[in-house]
């Protein structure tokens, strides 16, 4: 049962081949058996899952249908779930039970999805290896000595290990696409404002966006359909109609203009990944796409700009965790300042503290212009590059990451080395554009992703290209050995 995709599950449920309750029990047993190897869950919600599964079966028995009705999923542990621990991977929120459901959680529950649990993540979504979690590192099911990517590493590892068909995730600088690439999944970061951030614990509010992680583009379409839409509770949510994403999958790629930025193939890219990307381009050309070289001249400035803006916003967002209102409080505070200092010093891990310090520094009166304002100007240049490119092409294609998944611990002593691995993903967040990563082959037995970017609100186009590619390739169907 565990090999089924969301689409296959929907068909099986509709044809009464099995019930949601049977499927849920089977997957919960599989999680209990296999998750100790990869540590992809922070919390399991067995009782909730079984009651949601029974309710979904009852709704189907009453004649209701829907692709998510009875479908098992999990939520990254930064989506608030009412009455259930929502830890954000941090000791700071280890004891925090959210008082309400995030909009994404409520929407998916209303569509009949079954929540198996909350997935592991880098602390406060800061990282690209899922090693900074208070609950321990997540292992990559493709090679247990390697990282699964981050910060949505738990969602990715769980889906890759066939513990469940799909999961929610978030992407501030690549945290959906990069773990998708590292674990052979398809992951979509929607246009900023497409998916509500209400109840999604903030890291960097102008960059954060929720989206689906699944094995196929078809499944990403199904999950995104359940997540997307205007939310009056989120002031940055955009009031645009949500198209039928599944209906967009089957368009022809004849004449599709694919832009390949020359800057993507410079030093730093593993040549074996470059070769796989070129193979995927050839595959899309066979389907009728036309390839054109383009340029994104300001890409080189994106990493420094991102690593000023994201920490700046984080330093502001995380000021609410003060030992008073949420989560962790130190023992025996001597006075208010002592309470703040020790609650934050003991509750936050090293990477979170580093980001808060960098962000506070960049926002301080004397340095604001030199760092934060400068970074915002670069952000606009990055966006302008994309706008110029999309005058000429329909999608932009390149590698998702410069290297495959590294070994656990390999970059722990050098945070900047890890930041540099985000080079291909962060530009989409700076510009607010949608991006997708899909499987493109393997290097040393580790998965490689190809990234597609599209103009605002063209999620359907990304899913269309990825689905057509997946109808003609089989990388995405391959499971990791042992799972
Ligand atoms: N690796 C990036 C960071 O650490 C992106 C993380 C994310 O997208 N949440 O900020």
């Amino acid at each position: 049962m565990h090999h089924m995709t969301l689409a296959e599950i929907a068909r099986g449920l509709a044809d009464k081949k099995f019930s949601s309750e049977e499927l849920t029990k089977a997957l919960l047993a599989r999680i209990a058996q296999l998750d100790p190897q990869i540590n992809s869950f922070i919390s399991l919600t067995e009782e909730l899952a079984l009651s949601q599964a029974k309710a979904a079966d009852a709704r189907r028995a009453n004649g209701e249908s829907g692709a998510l009705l009875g479908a098992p999923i999990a939520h990254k542990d930064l989506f608030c779930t009412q009455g259930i621990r929502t830890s954000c991977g941090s000791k700071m929120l280890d004891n925090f039970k959210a008082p309400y459901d995030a909009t994404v959680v409520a929407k998916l529950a209303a569509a009949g999805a079954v929540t198996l649990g909350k997935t592991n993540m880098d602390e406060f979504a800061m990282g690209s290896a899922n090693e900074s979690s208070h609950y321990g590192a997540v292992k990559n099911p493709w090679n247990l000595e390697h990282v699964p990517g981050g910060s949505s590493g738990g969602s990715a590892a769980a889906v890759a290990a066939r513990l469940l068909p799909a999961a929610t995730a978030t992407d501030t600088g690549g945290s959906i696409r990069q773990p998708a690439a590292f674990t052979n999944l398809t992951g979509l970061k929607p246009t900023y404002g497409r998916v509500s951030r209400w109840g999604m614990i903030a890291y960097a509010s102008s960059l954060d966006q929720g989206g689906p992680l699944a094995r196929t583009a078809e499944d990403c379409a199904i999950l995104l359909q359940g997540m997307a839409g205007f939310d009056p509770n989120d002031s940055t949510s955009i009031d645009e109609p949500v198209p039928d994403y599944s209906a967009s999958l089957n368009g022809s790629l004849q004449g599709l203009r694919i832009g390949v930025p020359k800057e993507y193939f410079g030093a730093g890219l593993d040549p074996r990944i470059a070769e796989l990307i070129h193979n995927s381009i050839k595959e899309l050309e066979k389907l009728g796409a036309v390839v054109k070289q383009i340029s994104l001249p300001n890409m080189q400035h994106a990493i420094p700009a991102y690593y000023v803006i994201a920490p700046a916003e984080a330093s502001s967002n995380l000021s609410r965790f003060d030992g008073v209102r949420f989560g962790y409080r130190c023992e025996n505070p001597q006075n208010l300042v002592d309470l703040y200092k020790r609650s934050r010093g003991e509750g936050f891990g090293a990477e979170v503290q580093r980001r808060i310090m960098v962000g506070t520094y960049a926002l301080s009166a004397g340095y604001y212009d030199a760092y934060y304002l400068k970074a915002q100007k670069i952000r606009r240049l990055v966006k302008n590059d994309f706008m110029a490119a999309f005058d000429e092409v329909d999608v932009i294609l390149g590698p998702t990451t410069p290297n495959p998944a590294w070994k656990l611990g390999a970059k722990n002593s050098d945070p900047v080395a890890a930041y540099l691995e985000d080079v291909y993903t962060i530009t989409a967040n700076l510009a607010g554009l949608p991006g997708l990563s899909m499987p493109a082959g393997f290097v040393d037995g580790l998965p490689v992703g190809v990234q597609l970017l599209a103009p605002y609100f063209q999620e359907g186009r990304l899913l269309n290209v990825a689905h057509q590619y997946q109808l003609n390739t089989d990388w995405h169907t391959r499971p990791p050995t042992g799972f």
Side-chain angles (χ1 to χ4, degrees), residues 245 248 253 256-257 390 393-395 452-455 457-466:
Y245 293 118
S248 68
L253 302 192
L256 178 88
R257 298 168 303 165
F390 284 127
V393 298
D394 303 310
V395 293
L452 298 163
L453 304 174
F457 297 105
Q458 297 304 318
E459 287 78 7
R461 188 182 297 167
L462 295 176
L463 292 164
N464 176 204
V465 178

Side-chain angles (χ1 to χ4, degrees), residues 76 125-128 150-151 170-176 203 306-307 310 355 419 422 426:
K76 184 175 181 178
M126 298 172 190
S128 28
S151 61
T170 63
D171 190 312
T172 303
S175 286
I176 292 176
Y203 159 20
Y306 172 88
Y307 278 99
R355 306 270 180 122
Y419 301 167
D422 295 338
I426 55 176

Side-chain angles (χ1 to χ4, degrees), residues 48-129:
L48 170 70
L50 288 171
S51 75
Q52 286 178 325
K54 284 181 196 159
D57 287 335
R59 281 169 67 180
R60 280 202 186 263
N62 279 332
E64 257 189 77
S65 59
L68 287 165
L69 188 53
I73 59 158
H75 292 295
K76 184 175 181 178
D77 205 18
L78 52 53
F79 286 100
C80 284
T81 40
Q82 186 171 13
I84 294 164
R85 174 169 61 183
T86 302
S87 76
C88 232
S90 182
K91 180 177 174 186
M92 184 59 90
L93 290 177
D94 180 55
N95 63 1
F96 176 66
K97 287 187 177 162
Y100 64 93
D101 279 336
T103 297
V104 161
V105 171
K107 278 173 87 83
L108 289 171
V114 172
T115 302
L116 302 186
K118 306 291 294 289
T119 55
N120 206 341
M121 55 180 285
D122 275 305
E123 186 178 7
F124 283 98
M126 298 172 190
S128 28

Side-chain angles (χ1 to χ4, degrees), residues 127-129 147 149-150 173-174 177-178 181-182 268-270 273 303 307 399-406 411 414-426:
S128 28
V147 302
R177 292 161 287 156
Q178 183 253 22
F182 280 9
L269 174 63
D270 183 326
I273 293 189
I303 289 180
Y307 278 99
T400 307
T401 63
N403 294 294
W406 54 89
K411 296 190 195 283
D414 185 359
V416 175
Y419 301 167
L420 293 174
E421 298 290 321
D422 295 338
V423 60
Y424 298 120
T425 49
I426 55 176

Side-chain angles (χ1 to χ4, degrees), residues 10-221:
R11 283 195 287 276
L13 288 171
D15 296 347
K16 302 198 170 44
K17 294 219 168 91
F18 48 83
S19 67
S20 175
E21 188 181 349
E22 282 164 351
L23 176 64
T24 300
K25 284 185 176 157
L27 293 181
L28 287 171
R30 188 170 161 82
I31 292 168
Q33 184 203 346
L34 294 174
D35 196 48
Q37 289 182 59
I38 56 173
N39 195 29
S40 65
F41 279 89
I42 290 175
S43 306
L44 287 174
T45 52
E46 290 106 329
E47 265 180 49
L48 170 70
L50 288 171
S51 75
Q52 286 178 325
K54 284 181 196 159
D57 287 335
R59 281 169 67 180
R60 280 202 186 263
N62 279 332
E64 257 189 77
S65 59
L68 287 165
L69 188 53
I73 59 158
H75 292 295
K76 184 175 181 178
D77 205 18
L78 52 53
F79 286 100
C80 284
T81 40
Q82 186 171 13
I84 294 164
R85 174 169 61 183
T86 302
S87 76
C88 232
S90 182
K91 180 177 174 186
M92 184 59 90
L93 290 177
D94 180 55
N95 63 1
F96 176 66
K97 287 187 177 162
Y100 64 93
D101 279 336
T103 297
V104 161
V105 171
K107 278 173 87 83
L108 289 171
V114 172
T115 302
L116 302 186
K118 306 291 294 289
T119 55
N120 206 341
M121 55 180 285
D122 275 305
E123 186 178 7
F124 283 98
M126 298 172 190
S128 28
N130 216 126
E131 293 181 285
S132 75
S133 168
H134 173 61
Y135 303 90
V138 177
K139 317 275 169 56
N140 190 328
W142 287 92
N143 182 331
L144 298 174
E145 288 178 7
H146 287 249
V147 302
S151 61
S152 314
S155 290
V159 177
R162 276 62 180 161
L163 304 186
L164 76 179
T168 60
T170 63
D171 190 312
T172 303
S175 286
I176 292 176
R177 292 161 287 156
Q178 183 253 22
F182 280 9
T183 60
N184 207 40
L185 299 182
T186 308
L188 173 64
K189 177 203 102 70
T191 306
Y192 183 77
R194 179 73 295 184
V195 169
S196 168
R197 292 186 299 108
W198 198 68
M200 200 178 99
I201 297 175
Y203 159 20
S205 309
S206 77
L207 301 159
D208 297 342
Q209 188 60 200
L213 262 172
R215 295 198 285 269
T216 63
E218 188 181 25
D219 280 8
C220 283

